[in-house]
Amino acid sequence: MKLKSTLLASTMALVPLSALAADKTVGFSQIGSESGWRAAETTVTKQQAEERGIDLKFADAQQKQENQIKAVRSFIAQGVDAILLAPVVATGWDSVLEEAQDAEIPVILLDRTVDAPDDLYMTAVTSDLVHEGEVAGNWLQDEMAGADCRVVELQGTTGSSPAIDRKKGFEMGIEDAPNIEIVRSQTGDFTRAQGKVVMESFLKAEGAENICALYAHNDDMAVGAIQAIKEAGATPGTDIKIVSIDSVPDIHLAMLAGEANATVELTPNMAGPAFDVLEAYWADGTMPPKWIQTESKLYTLEDDNQAIYDNKKSLGY
Ligand code: GZL
């Protein structure tokens, strides 16, 4: 008997993990397509599933939590082998995650976290969202070198973990700089359109000449704000410095034009690490840590933004 089980084990060892995923079905509850980064995350997730022979059931929630909860419940009813969830907001997930747990379907969080007991999900694949904001704040502090700076802030989706954590991190990044003050802060919901509208209201309320910098929780809102700044007759990147997060191709185009100053990179490939975890789990029950952190890298005007743009365009954007 022992020889037989050893033979089986050794045979199993010869099977690549990815081959074990070939007969698996995974449900993916995606927030929507509110930003260039989100669209790229969807593209990369579908590419990763196809490469691994995973049958991906995709649901776009148009940024509505109730649609995500419906999608997760549908995946449970279908009896999928695992669920990927990018939670639009941090609260309100306990009951549906308990339903997945009762159905013994593992849930992996992508790019955002939830305020729920961590036994309700297998792991979360995210960047360090607080660190991203702190990197942005540190950049502005260094850039201003002690000069006074009145900052306006475009927040992400209200109640989302990136909006909460990127705000907290930025404030940490400027806490040693009394010369830097956040004078306006409002959500632009991570979209270009809302970023433009809210920046227009900031410019009207403060006057472009009284705004030194914009901190946007994502590049798409920054790109919308750049349009508003230009329409107000000011010069983005010089009259108003701009730092944001994601490192999507269009922010590097803006940096090449001198219309933005810095961005903190967020990888759109959260699904790769998630599928790696699932393949290991399906192979032999290996359980991952509760957090798989993705890297964050600052890009500025000193980087080769043309090469970065070109490379990004080859990565699913
Ligand atoms: C952050 C992610 C954010 C991106 C935005 O991890 O959830 O959502 O920064 C997107 O572009 O809308």
Side-chain angles (χ1 to χ4, degrees):
M1 190 60 173
K2 184 168 172 19
L3 175 64
K4 185 178 177 185
S5 63
T6 306
L7 185 63
L8 177 62
S10 58
T11 307
M12 285 289 283
L14 298 175
V15 176
L17 287 182
S18 55
L20 294 166
D23 60 346
K24 299 295 185 184
T25 300
V26 174
F28 177 25
S29 173
Q30 176 61 298
I31 290 171
S33 54
E34 73 282 0
S35 71
W37 182 90
R38 180 70 55 195
E41 185 193 41
T42 294
T43 300
V44 171
T45 302
K46 290 177 177 177
Q47 287 170 346
Q48 286 285 328
E50 188 174 355
E51 284 171 18
R52 301 163 188 251
I54 290 171
D55 177 14
L56 189 74
K57 306 285 186 190
F58 179 77
D60 179 322
Q62 282 89 43
Q63 283 191 279
K64 292 183 174 58
Q65 182 176 30
E66 63 265 26
N67 290 344
Q68 291 202 280
I69 291 171
K70 283 179 193 158
V72 171
R73 287 196 165 120
S74 169
F75 294 146
I76 293 168
Q78 294 173 59
V80 298
D81 297 291
I83 293 169
L84 304 182
L85 171 64
V88 60
V89 292
T91 55
W93 300 100
D94 293 52
S95 56
V96 74
L97 292 176
E98 284 164 3
E99 291 166 34
Q101 188 178 62
D102 292 345
E104 297 183 349
I105 298 175
V107 175
I108 294 182
L109 305 179
L110 297 189
D111 81 76
R112 297 187 186 180
T113 54
V114 298
D115 293 346
D118 68 10
D119 67 318
L120 291 179
Y121 55 87
M122 178 177 266
T123 187
V125 181
T126 79
S127 59
D128 181 336
L129 295 156
V130 172
H131 174 66
E132 293 169 334
E134 192 171 14
V135 167
N138 288 336
W139 173 84
L140 185 61
Q141 180 173 349
D142 294 346
E143 182 76 7
M144 295 318 300
D148 286 348
C149 188
R150 303 176 85 251
V151 185
V152 293
E153 179 182 22
L154 287 170
Q155 296 182 33
T157 300
T158 302
S160 68
S161 59
I164 294 163
D165 289 349
R166 286 174 178 172
K167 178 169 185 50
K168 177 181 173 186
F170 185 80
E171 289 164 359
M172 288 163 58
I174 62 170
E175 64 188 0
D176 296 335
N179 55 305
I180 299 178
E181 180 192 3
I182 300 172
V183 296
R184 299 260 171 187
S185 182
Q186 189 178 327
T187 183
D189 210 17
F190 283 130
T191 69
R192 292 191 184 198
Q194 269 310 98
K196 182 172 186 286
V197 167
V198 176
M199 189 67 203
E200 286 166 350
S201 71
F202 288 162
L203 289 159
K204 188 174 179 185
E206 294 290 335
E209 67 281 6
N210 298 314
I211 298 173
C212 149
L214 163 67
Y215 166 51
H217 290 189
N218 82 331
D219 296 338
D220 280 61
M221 293 189 291
V223 169
I226 286 168
Q227 194 56 40
I229 293 166
K230 290 160 83 170
E231 289 173 5
T235 307
T238 46
D239 295 337
I240 297 176
K241 304 258 184 215
I242 297 176
V243 57
S244 55
I245 301 172
D246 278 353
S247 178
V248 298
D250 282 353
I251 203 66
H252 293 282
L253 280 185
M255 289 165 75
L256 283 166
E259 295 180 346
N261 304 86
T263 185
V264 183
E265 184 175 54
L266 177 73
T267 177
N269 184 11
M270 304 282 184
F275 287 142
D276 288 345
V277 159
L278 287 170
E279 286 169 352
Y281 174 67
W282 288 327
D284 59 17
T286 300
M287 289 300 286
K290 278 298 174 183
W291 180 28
I292 296 173
Q293 181 184 345
T294 60
E295 293 306 305
S296 306
K297 178 175 168 42
L298 176 69
Y299 290 115
T300 69
L301 298 181
E302 292 169 18
D303 292 291
D304 182 346
N305 284 287
Q306 184 63 58
I308 296 164
Y309 173 85
D310 295 341
N311 179 52
K312 296 267 176 185
K313 294 302 280 184
S314 70
L315 293 179
Y317 282 97

